[in-house]
Each structure stands twice: as C-alpha cells, then as structure tokens.
Amino acid sequence: MIQAFGLTSNSRKELPPAVDDVSFEARAGSVTALLGATGAGKTTVLRLMLELQQGRGLTYFRGRPLHRIAHPSREVGVLMGDVPGHPARTVRGHLRMLCAAAGVPVRRADEVLEAVGLVSLRDERLGTLSRGMDRRLGLACALLPDPHTLVLDDPADGLSTRESHWLHGMLRAHAAQGGSVLFTTSEPKEAAHVADHVITLEQGRLVADQEATEFARTRLRPRVAVRTPHAARLAALLAKEARTTHRSVEVVREGGNRLSVYGSTCADVGETAFRHGVLVHQLADEIGDMGPGAGALPVEAAAATLEPRAGVTGPETGELLGAGALGLAGPEMRGGPAAHDDFASQSDSHMGGAQVVPAAPEAHGDQVSHSSRDTHSGPAEGSGHAALSLATASRGPAPLPPLPPPISVRSAPSPLRPLRYELRRATGIGTGFLTGAAVLVTSALTAVLLARVGHTPQARLLAAWPRELPLPPAALGAGLLGALAFGDEFRHPALAADRGTVPRRLGLLTAKLVVAAVTALALALLAVGCDAEVLYLVYGRELTEVPADWLLLSASWFGLVVGCAWAGVLAAGIFRSTTAGLAAVVTVPILVVPLVRKALGGGSVGTAAGLSARLREVLLLQWPFGGERYLAGAVRVVAQPVGGALTLSLTALLCAYLLTALRSRVR
C-alpha cells in the first residue's frame, strides 16, 4: 500500500507550488491512476513520493518511507521516462548489469525478458529500440528485483493501441498477484478502463478521489465527433434544430473543421447535414471528458442522454462502437453497468435548447473514437477492427500475461556485487576497448617519433612521454577511463531510476577504484610492451634496453597511471561529469606539480632515505624479505613532485567525495 500525506512542492519566488497538500492512498492488489492534464502536477507528485524532489509531506510504502528502506528497488519499481541506459549496451547486458546492482541472480534477466516479450531482441542495442520496446524494457527493469509496488509516469505515452493494451494487462497482472500499481495519465478513458481507483489532480490540487465506476459515471459522456469544412454553418443548423425540437444539444467548436456534439447521435447529425447539403468528412461516436471539476450527475439526465444511443441497433451498432468498444468493456466488467451511466452532462439551463461553445485547448487530448469514416484515419478504424473489438468485449477480459516468478534475495548485499556491477558496466560497451586501443597506437607512434628526434631518456622513451606534454598517453587514457566510470553513471543513470541520483555508496566507489586500478595497470603494462616492441622493430635492440633502476621506475610508472585513473574516478564522482574528471587529471601536472615542487625544494628524497631504518629502530620491527627496500622505494615515489602532487590531489578528492556522500545522506 502507498500512503501519501500532504505532498507539497517548494514554491519558486512568488509562484504557487506546483503541488499543494496532496494526500491519497493506493491499495495493494489494485491499480490506481493519477489523472490530470499536462501541468497538473502528476510527475511532481511522483517525484515527491520517490524523494527525487525536495518538498513537504510524507509517503509510506507498506509503512516505511523510502529513505528508511535498505534496498528501495526491491520495494518500489519505477518507470519514469525512457530507459536510462547507454545506447550501445545490449538489452540483455543492461538487465544483467542491473541484476548485479540489485543483488539478484543473473537468470532473473532472462525471466523478465520472457515476461515482457523481448527474448528475440535481447542482443539489440538500447539505442535501436522503438518506443514500444523501450517501454517493455523499462517495465522489465522495474520488475527485475521483484518489487511489491510499481510507480509509472505516463507509461502508455506514445504507444500504439496494441502496446497500450499489453502494458495495461501487465499492470493488472501485477496487481492481481497482490502488488500495488500507481501510474499517471492525462487520458480519462485510459484511467476508467485500466484503473480500479482514480485520483484526479487539477493545478496541483486534489479534486477527486473516486472508484473507477464512480469516476466513469461522473466524468465521461458520449459525444459525436464531426469533421466538416463548413463547421460554423453546421453548428448553427444543429443549434437551430435543437431549439425547434426542444432538445438539449451542446455543440463545441474544437477549432479548425472539427465539432463535438453532445446530446445527439450520429444519425441525427448526419441527417441534418444531408438535408442542408453540408459536406461531412468524419462522423464518429466518441467518449469525451467533461473537464475538470465535474461532479456527479443525476441519473435522470444519464438516462435521457443514453436513450438516443439505444435506438441505434443492427449492423450500424458495430460500426459506431469501433475501437472504443474494448475501452468501455473494462469498467463495465469490473463494476457492472454503472460504468456507462450518466456519461452526458445536461444541466437545467440546457434543457429544451442548444448551446454552441468554444473548446478548451486540451479538448483534443481526450478523444478516443468509437467509429470513424474519415478517409485519413488509417486502417485501424475500419469495420474489421470494430468487429475484433466487439468480439473481444463480448468474450470478457483477455488472460493476464504471466509475470516472472518471485525471487528470494538476501537481506544485505555481498561485497562482490558492486564489483560485478562495475565489471559488467565497463565491459558491456566498447568505449573502454576503443580507448585502450587508441592509447596503445598513440603511445607507440609517439615513442617512434621521440626515438627519431633523439635526446630522450630511456625511461621516458619507453613510456612515450615527451617533456613537452604534461602526461604520457597511457596516463591520459587511464584518467579518461576512470572519469568515464562515474561520468557514464550520470549521463545514463541506470542506478538512479528509484532515487534520482547515482548512489554515493562506499561499496560502489571501492568497486570503481579497484576496476580502474586494474585497468590502469593493464594499460601501463601494454603501453610499455607495445612501445618496446615497436622500437625494436624499427630501430633494433639498442633502444629497448632495460634501465638499471627499473624497479623504482616501474613503481613510479604504475603509481602515476593508477593515480591518474583514481583522480578521474573521484573528480567525475564529485562534479558529475566526465569532462570534469579528465580536467582534474590534467590539472595535477600543470598546476599542482609546480606548487609541490616549489614547496619541497628538492630535498625531500634525501630526508626520507633512512625512513625504513629509523622505523625499525623506533618500532623494533624486523622487515622480512628485505621489505625496507620496497618501503624506501615507495617513499621515494611519493616524495617525487609528481607523486606528491598526485597523493595530495587524491587525498583532497577523496575527502570531498566523502563530504558530498555524507551531505547527500543527511539530506
């Protein structure tokens, strides 16, 4: 169950809040629709519920607020917008990556793919998916950790009728298994057809909280949609005949060549147009929204409204219902015939007369044709589709699609799960491999050019590090890969669907640092190996001799590359940008190294030369296997200007990252 109390967004300057004191409940085992026009505050309500936006109010998911739930994705499955995945990642790879993040078995990815019907597209890239397939994948991501609650923001937006029916069936199936479903929509007919409970918002305020049958009875009414190039003339003729016959007819000018006629039938409108020679392009029965603020209507008015429709029988009935027959079947089958009662709004002031009024700007957004004879409406509105809709409505609701079986998950994540996630994230796309290949090629060409120019020390030659450049290609490549580790998280926030921002957990940071360090070490070894091999092929063995102090040089080389990678990871995590992470890597040799060199003054290596011996004397420690040599070598590496600058930079970035993590947790 979802319980929302007093949800209110923070107002900006003198403007009223987008959402003001909204409270409601979404019961378990039912589907709840949050209905409102564009700008009514539906998405803001969801963001306040999911703690993605600051404001006032409380929301409980089965008795607990979201920030008190250890694993929010296991309690609430969220679908807001498109799937936040890298376009180059495959469908199956994206789900397997999320399996590691949620701590569920990898086989779960195949189960949800089968449930949403994407098994045949599991090797497709996310960037190639259509809108309908993207909606299916988004629902698969929400169902992956087997959550109790589904929260979806306009899930059927942009979908075809077939895809919408499939999606609604999945929501009904999840609710039938005891889960809670809350979705937003701007279509009243979709809310009446799919939901058991409808909550209506208007300008950020709650205006109605109704069962679906009551909502359909008080908010929907039939109308006749007419398209004609002589809209003004036909509207005047209909109003005149209504006054003559003392009938309550309301004609609404929708703009252009469209009319909406309330209180009449297709037959009456068609006969009027025929008698006066008015050309008609479309004549269709529709179910229209009565607009915001509509209240309960008297039963007598409903009966008077539905009487003209009862006279349309025979073959014409199927044509008039068309694709909308299935839409009316949902509320009727769940709540009885009351779903059809009182669809018309006939106030006392309209009785015995007619009214021609202009349409609201949003009038076109609430149309679902029951029939159509417009030649431009497409084959979906033909008699074949009408017959299919009637047959479907007469058979009752279609069987619910099977959902993936429930899973058992551990109460606490294993330390290896963030590492698995990071490995799948890094290897699921080709960016890292392409970057590594580009670094190796650039490093080899730079080494050949340096050898041709001459006057380059052997150590810098093997590292392809000209004195004119602040960093060698391998260090820049390691820094770029490290920056991408967090930069891609913010560009394609696969982990942020349930909380809105990339989680700043220490386990995730540790996994990224470990993977970045291993990648940097591999890149450093491959770069030196490729440089040495290319130099041997071009110039012979004399340029590939190993320096005498290779151990200290190797430690310095590995420390430089790993330090650049870590600086990229931390800076991108703090500033939420790959560019900022790479800029922090380049800033170290350009700005920090001169400052460190000036502060140290060149005497730090001599001062730290006897550190291991002094530690042994003070702490009475005996270093096994000549450990004092390795300690002295590490101290020398750190004492170098570049090593000292990297150490200071990494310390500052790590402290800043921890500070931002604590601040976000306090918020």
Side-chain angles (χ1 to χ4, degrees), residues 535-560:
L535 289 174
Y536 173 75
L537 291 176
V538 177
Y539 298 106
R541 190 178 298 276
E542 58 184 18
L543 293 181
T544 59
E545 295 179 357
V546 178
D549 54 346
W550 65 271
L551 183 60
L552 181 60
L553 290 175
S554 299
S556 301
W557 173 242
F558 292 146
L560 172 67

Side-chain angles (χ1 to χ4, degrees), residues 158-195:
L159 298 186
S160 64
T161 303
R162 180 180 178 184
E163 291 287 346
S164 298
H165 289 169
W166 172 88
L167 178 64
H168 298 156
M170 291 292 291
L171 301 185
R172 300 296 312 172
H174 184 81
Q177 294 185 358
S180 302
V181 178
L182 175 66
F183 75 98
T184 66
T185 180
S186 58
E187 296 292 339
K189 289 161 292 300
E190 180 186 5
H193 171 49
V194 181

